Amino acid sequence: MTSESERLWEPDKARIDSAEMSRFMRYLHDSRGLQFDDYHALWRWSVADIAGFWEALWQFYRIDSQQPSRCVLEKPSMPGARWFPGARLNFAEHLLRAGQDRPDTTALLHASETHDLQSLSWRELSGQVARLAHRLREAGVAPGDRVVAFMPNAPETVVACIACLSIGAVWSVCSPEFGTATVLDRFAQIEPTLLIAVDSYGYGGKVFDRQDALREIVRGLPSLSAVIHVPGPAAHGAAPLPDCLDWTAIQSGPVPAMAFESVDFDHPLWVVYSSGTTGLPKAIVHGHGGVLLELHKMLGLHGNLSPGKHMLFYTSSGWIMWNILISALLVGAVPVLYDGHPAAPEIDLLWRLAGQARVNLFGASPTYLAMMQKHGVVPGHSHDLSNLEGVLLTGSPATPESMQWLYDNVKADLWVTSQSGGTDVASAFVNGSCILPVHAGEIQARALAVDAQAWDDAGRSVIGEVGELVITQPMPSMPLYLWNDPDGERYRQSYFEPWPGVWRHGDFFELNARGGCYIRGRSDATLNRYGVRIGTAEIYRCVEALEEIEEALVVNLDLPGGRFHMPLFVQMARGACLDDPLIARINQALRENCSPRHVPDEIIAVPEIPYTLTGKKLEVPVRKILLGARPDRVASRDAMRNPDALDAFCAAARQMTALRKPAQDDQD
């Protein structure tokens, strides 16, 4: 196993000098007389003078505002910080402005299971947006109205999103593989005015007809005044609903003049949703200005994207990474979309696409890299990745082995970075920078202007120890509010307990002395063994390194009388069997690479590990099920990527009934 924190890569002088981060540092020197010796010095200034940082970033990226703001930060409290009060702008206008001087260059690249790589120029993209925005206005959509989409990761979805935002309407999207109950749990909360929907989609070589689901969704949204039908691969010519507006007809007309609605900095931009494993998912509202600033920082400074660079990240339209991917347009970069199965019919399909699209920044999850490793894929030998500069890992903690695999099998001169943030802020708390070295399993640094700290139970900041990830100063992209939460109670309970005024994210976090960061798993999925808290990530790293194990899930059950029981569930690799010798090897690996506390009380093979639609393991719902909770009370199968995966855990819960009873000594 690769040693954690082992240095894997060092940027050379040319890489450092050409980086967007270095360009920003030179700007600060030339315009403000600020001199920073390295990234960490820049970070320290950015949190010591947060208002100064965001004002400088506003000017560096030449943010357009119809009128100046009264100040940068009028109210620094959390929640409720007021950024750039008085400023009026439009997020969509900034998405399209990079193409004004180069209308015939590529704005967007896209491919799917049914078509090879194709491009859309800035002129074509702007024209399609203008047509749709004009038609939305004709349909009566006004600023503040909600426009929702039941759409895949396709260029039409990008057009729909930008058109919606351009007129000041509020955007929200669900991917067409979502179940109807999941879609209605989300969309019904926000009472949309208009729906844009596809009738079918392709995945894994199959076409899925969603016309019946679409009709059910429309019936469940009485607030709708119009539906725009987008033909999918199973379209038969006739619209699935009467009186639908036709996408093809809308896009066949002349191109009207493009007009952008000027809105307040805090005008609602889009509504995104928490995973929703139980109950109604949180409907999170972000603002035009806050996301605009955060994504310029995240994609430009941290992602090192600039005009003409290409970014590929495999995602569905229902994950916040889709919003972030298409926002590469803000810095003039080219998003590369792929709609379909990421590893079929070819296991290395995304690497082939990265070569064809001349991708500079490739985004993937550590789980995807583990799949590549187990199938013996060597992308650097089979594809032209000469344009590839960096790989961005997100979705789960990156292991040292996954990072080492990239250097061994993709490219030796490669900036590999990991990040962690989330839907809640449409950005990252901890992130990378190509001017810093890469260490195995380590997130390079705290993001600029993000005062991220690890706090112990007493609320003290700790270094070199695992603590709660907290943010102690406001970020512009923190939610404006949660929908249908008029007094803000759910918002405060979600993020500002147990420390009022301090954002608690729910991750275990460790910060080392040089500023490197580690996410050690969800704090609400803590494994407390003999009084020592263990993050699940370290167990997964060890167990999933074994070739017989595809994936794993571990929980700790607190039982009556102060007892506990820690089962480890494993999904076996094809052809492997969980027998006594393998159980012994798993336990030995955990004992030697972690500690005796990491050894589970039992190991159980299951057909699949359960995931949410956004790719998160259902650790907390599984723990509750094993403790006797009704499955339908703690996990919505309709919000899962693989609903049948829960069955094995329900069976395990029945087997553990006796375990959950008080011991005889307790009863006495």
Side-chain angles (χ1 to χ4, degrees):
M1 295 175 71
T2 304
S3 299
E4 189 171 78
S5 297
E6 177 184 339
R7 184 171 291 199
L8 301 179
W9 178 81
E10 182 96 33
D12 59 22
K13 186 176 184 301
R15 175 88 64 138
I16 293 172
D17 289 347
S18 64
E20 286 294 290
M21 192 72 74
S22 297
R23 190 168 74 87
F24 180 60
M25 292 166 76
R26 290 191 294 269
Y27 167 80
L28 291 173
H29 177 267
D30 295 344
S31 65
R32 300 187 172 213
L34 296 170
Q35 179 70 42
F36 303 106
D37 294 333
D38 57 19
Y39 174 86
H40 297 295
L42 174 63
W43 178 84
R44 287 191 292 271
W45 168 75
S46 74
V47 295
D49 185 5
I50 279 188
F53 169 83
W54 287 112
E55 181 181 44
L57 186 121
W58 179 292
Q59 295 166 352
F60 180 69
Y61 280 112
R62 297 183 174 88
I63 303 300
D64 290 330
S65 178
Q66 298 299 313
Q67 62 186 45
S69 63
R70 296 190 296 274
C71 61
V72 175
L73 181 56
E74 185 176 74
K75 183 183 176 185
S77 61
M78 292 190 291
R82 290 206 63 200
W83 294 92
F84 294 91
R88 293 185 66 82
L89 40 69
N90 188 283
F91 185 85
E93 185 172 10
H94 288 80
L95 285 173
L96 294 180
R97 69 175 183 170
Q100 292 174 352
D101 298 330
R102 46 193 184 105
D104 295 315
T105 60
T106 299
L108 193 69
L109 290 166
H110 58 97
S112 74
E113 291 192 4
T114 57
H115 70 77
D116 292 330
L117 190 66
Q118 298 177 12
S119 67
L120 206 62
S121 71
W122 286 100
R123 187 190 306 277
E124 292 167 327
L125 176 61
S126 299
Q128 291 188 29
V129 169
R131 289 190 189 100
L132 182 57
H134 178 73
R135 190 66 186 88
L136 292 176
R137 285 190 171 100
E138 285 187 336
V141 180
D145 287 346
R146 277 74 65 202
V147 173
V148 295
F150 185 60
M151 293 285 290
N153 183 18
E156 292 89 349
T157 316
V158 180
V159 169
C161 176
I162 300 175
C164 165
L165 302 179
S166 74
I167 65 174
V170 184
W171 168 260
S172 194
V173 60
C174 283
S175 185
E177 71 264 19
F178 281 24
T180 53
T182 296
V183 175
L184 291 173
D185 279 350
R186 287 155 172 75
F187 288 169
Q189 292 188 65
I190 64 174
E191 299 178 302
T193 296
L194 186 140
L195 168 68
I196 302 171
V198 74
D199 56 35
S200 53
Y201 71 96
Y203 189 85
K206 299 178 181 178
V207 172
F208 295 86
D209 191 321
R210 301 295 282 154
Q211 294 186 74
D212 288 343
L214 177 54
R215 295 184 189 102
E216 188 176 341
I217 290 166
V218 172
R219 284 195 299 269
L221 298 174
S223 59
L224 291 176
S225 60
V227 177
I228 297 177
H229 167 232
V230 181
H236 303 297
L241 293 162
D243 303 320
C244 275
L245 301 174
D246 180 64
W247 177 276
T248 305
I250 291 170
Q251 292 299 342
S252 62
V255 178
M258 188 71 222
F260 296 97
E261 189 75 25
S262 176
V263 296
D264 288 338
F265 187 93
D266 281 346
H267 184 81
L269 173 73
W270 54 46
V271 180
V272 290
Y273 306 91
S274 64
S275 298
T277 54
T278 177
L280 285 179
K282 294 194 300 286
I284 300 165
V285 184
H286 292 132
H288 271 248
V291 172
L292 177 66
L293 290 177
E294 278 285 353
L295 291 186
H296 269 98
K297 180 196 74 176
M298 179 183 177
L299 295 166
L301 300 186
H302 286 285
N304 200 39
L305 293 175
S306 56
K309 288 194 175 182
H310 295 185
M311 177 183 179
L312 168 65
F313 195 101
Y314 179 74
T315 179
S316 76
S317 60
W319 186 20
I320 192 64
M321 283 307 302
W322 183 86
N323 305 58
I324 292 171
L325 173 63
I326 70 166
S327 296
L329 295 167
L330 290 173
V331 293
V334 178
V336 182
L337 314 181
Y338 181 71
D339 184 41
H341 194 291
E346 311 148 37
I347 189 69
D348 59 348
L349 181 148
L350 292 182
W351 297 106
R352 174 173 60 81
L353 182 62
Q356 292 174 341
R358 306 187 313 281
V359 165
N360 304 100
L361 183 62
F362 180 95
S365 69
T367 303
Y368 173 78
L369 296 188
M371 178 173 64
M372 296 294 101
Q373 182 178 8
K374 290 188 176 183
H375 283 83
V377 176
V378 185
H381 291 174
S382 49
H383 303 287
D384 179 6
L385 301 175
S386 55
N387 290 86
L388 188 63
E389 300 171 2
V391 172
L392 171 65
L393 300 174
T394 191
S396 61
T399 66
E401 290 73 29
S402 63
M403 298 175 78
Q404 182 67 61
W405 181 88
L406 287 163
Y407 288 103
D408 293 341
N409 295 277
V410 176
K411 203 172 186 179
D413 183 19
L414 190 65
W415 167 49
V416 176
T417 182
S418 183
Q419 66 170 22
S420 184
T423 299
D424 315 81
V425 292
S427 186
F429 301 123
V430 289
N431 211 329
S433 173
C434 68
I435 68 173
L436 291 172
V438 172
H439 295 86
E442 184 175 303
I443 301 173
Q444 288 175 291
R446 290 173 281 188
L448 293 175
V450 180
D451 199 352
Q453 300 180 25
W455 278 17
D456 64 15
D457 291 341
R460 295 172 299 209
S461 182
V462 295
I463 302 292
E465 299 177 26
V466 176
E468 287 278 356
L469 172 59
V470 300
I471 312 300
T472 62
Q473 297 190 72
M475 296 169 59
S477 65
M478 284 177 173
L480 300 178
Y481 50 86
L482 305 182
W483 205 272
N484 291 332
D485 182 33
D487 59 0
E489 181 62 23
R490 191 180 185 195
Y491 188 10
R492 289 188 294 273
Q493 288 177 349
S494 297
Y495 305 111
F496 298 102
E497 291 184 354
W499 299 295
V502 175
W503 177 291
R504 173 187 172 272
H505 194 60
D507 281 334
F508 270 149
F509 179 55
E510 184 178 348
L511 182 69
N512 64 28
R514 67 165 171 269
C517 306
Y518 307 90
I519 300 297
R520 299 300 193 188
R522 295 292 297 174
S523 60
D524 54 5
T526 308
L527 310 174
N528 193 327
R529 300 274 281 173
Y530 305 101
V532 176
R533 295 191 304 184
I534 298 171
T536 56
E538 51 196 306
I539 289 182
Y540 298 148
R541 178 199 171 197
C542 181
V543 173
E544 292 174 1
L546 299 171
E547 62 180 2
E548 295 93 343
I549 307 301
E550 194 72 30
E551 293 188 84
L553 186 149
V554 64
V555 295
N556 192 61
L557 309 179
D558 294 309
L559 302 173
R563 297 173 298 130
F564 53 79
H565 184 75
M566 191 171 86
L568 171 67
F569 298 89
V570 291
Q571 177 183 332
M572 308 306 297
R574 185 184 297 272
C577 176
L578 184 65
D579 53 19
D580 289 342
L582 179 57
I583 290 173
R585 282 206 299 121
I586 293 171
N587 289 336
Q588 181 182 7
L590 287 166
R591 185 176 292 106
E592 293 179 353
N593 294 306
C594 300
S595 81
R597 294 185 179 90
H598 291 70
V599 177
D601 293 303
E602 66 175 318
I603 303 176
I604 303 169
V606 293
E608 274 191 288
I609 299 299
Y611 278 89
T612 68
L613 287 168
T614 53
K616 295 179 181 178
K617 292 180 182 178
L618 269 69
E619 293 170 321
V620 174
V622 162
R623 185 180 67 194
K624 292 179 179 178
I625 289 170
L626 296 177
L627 286 171
R630 281 177 45 185
D632 60 335
R633 293 282 181 87
V634 299
S636 169
R637 289 180 185 255
D638 206 37
M640 290 176 58
R641 189 174 73 189
N642 48 354
D644 292 342
L646 269 189
D647 293 344
F649 295 87
C650 296
R654 291 190 291 272
Q655 295 294 321
M656 294 182 186
T657 301
L659 189 70
R660 296 192 298 268
K661 293 179 179 179
Q664 187 62 42
D665 289 346
D666 302 329
Q667 294 174 341
D668 296 341

